[in-house]
Amino acid sequence: MNKQLIQKYNIPGPRYTSYPTVPFWNKEGIDLEDWKKTTLQSFNESNDTEGISLYIHLPFCESLCTFCACHKRITKRHSVEEPYLETVLKEWNLYCDILIKRPKIREIHLGGGTPTFFSSENLTTLINGIFKRADKFENFEFSYEGHPNHTSEEQLQTLYDLGSRRNSFGIQDYDPIVQKAIHRIQSFEQVKKVNDLSKKIGYTSISHDLIFGLPFQTETSIRDTIKKTIALKPDRIAYYSYAHVPWIKGVGQRGFDENNLPKENEKRHLYELGKQLLFDAGYIEIGMDHFSLPIDSLHKAMKNNKLHRNFMGYSAQKTKLMIGLGMSSISDSWYAFAQNEKTVETYTQKVNEGILPIFRGHLLTNEDLIIRKHILNLMCNLETEWNLGLDKTTKNQILNRLQELIDDDLVYTFKNKLIVKEKGRMFVRNICMAFDLRLIENKPDIKVFSMTI
Ligand SMILES: C[S@@+](CC[C@H](N)C(=O)[O-])C[C@H]1O[C@@H](n2cnc3c(N)ncnc32)[C@H](O)[C@@H]1O
Ligand code: SF4
């Protein structure tokens, strides 16, 4: 691990779950009619051939984890479940009215917050409500995020019966000191219970989320967390870099002192250590921050250059249209992005008025579409082809910006390709930033992004 390179390149930068990244969407937003038009266009172009994806945001959690950067609402009142799901289904109906024909759903993902905050009965109402106006596309996939402390056998069975074969659990770290600092106490036994139950019920892909860079993490604590994770043999592991963004999340991330966080070299060391332990256990690194067993579809997709990246991270499936339902959800029609209102109240109010609850969005220009392709290629395949739409001047400008990374032996050009070296993998966000014309043109308030390493 080269400490100087880490110091040099550890700067604020996007994670590229979209291009343009959200802070660079058009300031004037997107016209609702334009959004509907691109949604319908994308739907007509892809519903019969590949189907559509649905992301449903279920924001409630019973207790606040002080590291969390997700859009959530903390409450113990379960009476919020039914009205919220009613609104989500109303929103779905608004979309179905626009699409006219019955959508064929290739993929549903329930994200959060904590989807398993909701009772089995309410989750059934939600999924059945969605399929009242839609059909399943072949190889339909249904996945959800569960909190190990709040996932019962009944919920696991119900979601399986509704068609889910894939789930992911937030683990973060097993060390008691770290767990106390992040206000998330959960035992190995509890995780083992939901993990083993999932396998027994028949889930074919189980994923665990871990984070490096959390307060009080040490080499010893990471070794222990990875050892326990390997013992449960999840099919996929997300090993996220802790994104410290308290200016966005307010007091939510202030449950510990910044001095308690591992410093940049230490933080990267924790990633490299975890990565080696996962390699030793037979896991393969996928794109950035992700690992899978060789038999998992994510690895197969990577081998066949079919890996895709969207707001949910890496995916083995790509659909042109992804509709996001629920507060704060982001939809992607390939030609445009749109984000829903970020509070339950404003979201509900708009849906009840019969309007799509969008508060901002972005219509992609031709240039955006070209740059998006390059950034997706780099994030997913660690290489891209120069002849994908770039004119000579833009290509030369990008090459100039890449020169330092080329000199540092992190990336190289070969024939018509730009290829990331193994050593350059951890700097892939920096490499993408050389292509990010919107970031370069707009000189942002860089406080909007977490650090790249
Ligand atoms: C919506 S949460 C997971 C579902 C469920 N609420 C739970 O916590 O188990 C999705 C994942 O995002 C990751 N995450 C949340 N905040 C993060 C942050 N500040 N930096 C890095 N990863 C974060 C965590 O690993 C978390 O498991
Ligand atoms: S990590 Fe999960 S459970 Fe904790 S606050 Fe965030 S979304 Fe809720």
Side-chain angles (χ1 to χ4, degrees), residues 5 106 141 254 273 296 324 412 425 429 441 447 452:
L5 287 178
R106 170 82 169 265
E141 284 202 0
R254 289 297 186 191
L273 173 68
D296 193 86
Y412 65 104
R425 199 186 248 268
R429 285 164 73 181
E441 281 157 17
K447 265 229 141 181
T452 50

Side-chain angles (χ1 to χ4, degrees), residues 15 235-240 271 275 278-279 282-309 313-316 378-382 422 425 428:
R15 296 178 53 77
D235 304 87
R236 294 180 185 180
I237 296 167
Y239 191 27
Y240 294 120
Y271 181 75
K275 175 168 119 172
L278 292 173
F279 283 171
Y283 284 89
I284 290 162
E285 195 174 21
I286 310 285
M288 188 184 78
D289 300 350
H290 283 66
F291 295 82
S292 84
L293 289 174
I295 44 150
D296 193 86
S297 59
L298 217 48
H299 178 233
K300 288 184 194 140
M302 184 180 82
K303 269 202 330 209
N304 300 328
N305 275 357
K306 290 261 165 65
L307 201 60
H308 184 59
R309 186 167 171 82
Y314 287 104
S315 152
L378 287 164
M379 293 298 286
C380 296
N381 309 325
L382 298 169
E422 191 48 42
R425 199 186 248 268
V428 65

Side-chain angles (χ1 to χ4, degrees), residues 59-72 74 112-114 145 147 150 170 172 183-184:
F60 303 111
C61 307
E62 287 206 1
S63 153
L64 175 70
C65 312
T66 53
F67 68 91
C68 180
C70 306
H71 292 287
K72 71 269 171 194
I74 309 300
T114 303
E145 294 163 17
H147 188 314
H150 302 282
Q172 328 311 349
H183 198 241
R184 183 169 173 122

Side-chain angles (χ1 to χ4, degrees), residues 174-327:
Y174 284 111
D175 186 82
I177 298 170
V178 177
Q179 290 196 356
K180 190 164 172 247
I182 60 173
H183 198 241
R184 183 169 173 122
I185 310 292
Q186 74 191 15
S187 65
F188 174 72
E189 288 66 34
Q190 185 59 31
V191 177
K192 182 169 172 12
K193 190 174 150 201
V194 291
N195 187 80
D196 293 355
L197 271 172
S198 301
K199 285 192 182 164
K200 195 179 112 201
I201 288 171
Y203 284 87
T204 50
S205 178
I206 300 167
S207 182
H208 288 195
D209 295 344
L210 304 176
I211 303 185
F212 66 97
L214 288 171
F216 301 110
Q217 270 181 339
T218 60
E219 205 182 300
T220 314
S221 72
I222 284 289
R223 275 185 193 282
D224 184 60
T225 290
I226 301 278
K227 196 172 129 203
K228 288 186 164 117
T229 303
I230 290 168
L232 299 181
K233 225 169 176 246
D235 304 87
R236 294 180 185 180
I237 296 167
Y239 191 27
Y240 294 120
S241 167
Y242 169 55
H244 189 57
V245 286
W247 56 88
I248 299 178
K249 294 294 156 185
V251 291
Q253 291 199 332
R254 289 297 186 191
F256 46 86
D257 198 285
E258 254 140 53
N259 294 321
N260 306 135
L261 297 171
K263 302 289 165 291
E264 53 188 20
N265 280 330
E266 290 162 25
K267 183 178 177 187
R268 194 65 209 180
H269 175 64
L270 296 179
Y271 181 75
E272 295 298 322
L273 173 68
K275 175 168 119 172
Q276 192 53 51
L277 295 170
L278 292 173
F279 283 171
D280 295 346
Y283 284 89
I284 290 162
E285 195 174 21
I286 310 285
M288 188 184 78
D289 300 350
H290 283 66
F291 295 82
S292 84
L293 289 174
I295 44 150
D296 193 86
S297 59
L298 217 48
H299 178 233
K300 288 184 194 140
M302 184 180 82
K303 269 202 330 209
N304 300 328
N305 275 357
K306 290 261 165 65
L307 201 60
H308 184 59
R309 186 167 171 82
N310 58 26
F311 290 101
M312 292 167 273
Y314 287 104
S315 152
Q317 310 231 43
K318 179 190 166 295
T319 58
K320 200 166 193 177
L321 178 60
M322 186 180 79
I323 294 178
L325 303 176
M327 70 149 233

Side-chain angles (χ1 to χ4, degrees), residues 19-37:
Y19 183 82
T21 53
V22 178
F24 295 108
W25 288 1
N26 292 330
K27 294 275 170 290
E28 52 291 355
I30 188 166
D31 183 83
L32 207 52
E33 290 312 309
D34 282 342
W35 169 246
K36 288 183 191 168
K37 218 161 78 191

Side-chain angles (χ1 to χ4, degrees), residues 25-162:
W25 288 1
N26 292 330
K27 294 275 170 290
E28 52 291 355
I30 188 166
D31 183 83
L32 207 52
E33 290 312 309
D34 282 342
W35 169 246
K36 288 183 191 168
K37 218 161 78 191
T38 68
T39 302
L40 186 58
Q41 180 186 349
S42 188
F43 177 77
N44 287 334
E45 287 167 359
S46 61
N47 188 46
D48 290 333
T49 49
E50 57 179 40
I52 71 163
S53 302
L54 278 192
Y55 170 78
I56 308 177
H57 194 73
L58 301 175
F60 303 111
C61 307
E62 287 206 1
S63 153
L64 175 70
C65 312
T66 53
F67 68 91
C68 180
C70 306
H71 292 287
K72 71 269 171 194
R73 173 67 68 94
I74 309 300
T75 181
K76 288 203 186 323
R77 282 190 310 117
H78 283 261
S79 56
V80 294
E81 291 182 29
E82 282 178 36
Y84 184 78
L85 294 185
E86 257 172 48
T87 315
V88 168
L89 288 174
K90 270 189 204 164
E91 186 192 5
W92 174 233
N93 281 325
L94 292 175
Y95 271 106
C96 291
D97 291 344
I98 296 167
L99 303 177
I100 309 165
K101 270 194 337 199
R102 270 175 92 79
K104 296 178 187 165
I105 301 181
R106 170 82 169 265
E107 191 176 13
I108 295 185
H109 181 75
L110 307 183
T114 303
T116 52
F117 175 96
F118 288 75
S119 69
S120 298
E121 197 188 341
N122 284 334
L123 290 166
T124 307
T125 308
L126 172 67
I127 300 302
N128 289 344
I130 295 289
F131 282 107
K132 266 196 191 132
R133 300 211 42 194
D135 301 311
K136 287 180 184 161
F137 194 80
E138 60 196 85
N139 303 328
F140 165 70
E141 284 202 0
F142 171 18
S143 56
Y144 62 92
E145 294 163 17
H147 188 314
N149 288 355
H150 302 282
T151 304
S152 66
E153 181 168 4
E154 189 199 12
Q155 285 169 311
L156 290 170
Q157 186 66 56
T158 302
L159 288 159
Y160 180 88
D161 294 342
L162 289 166

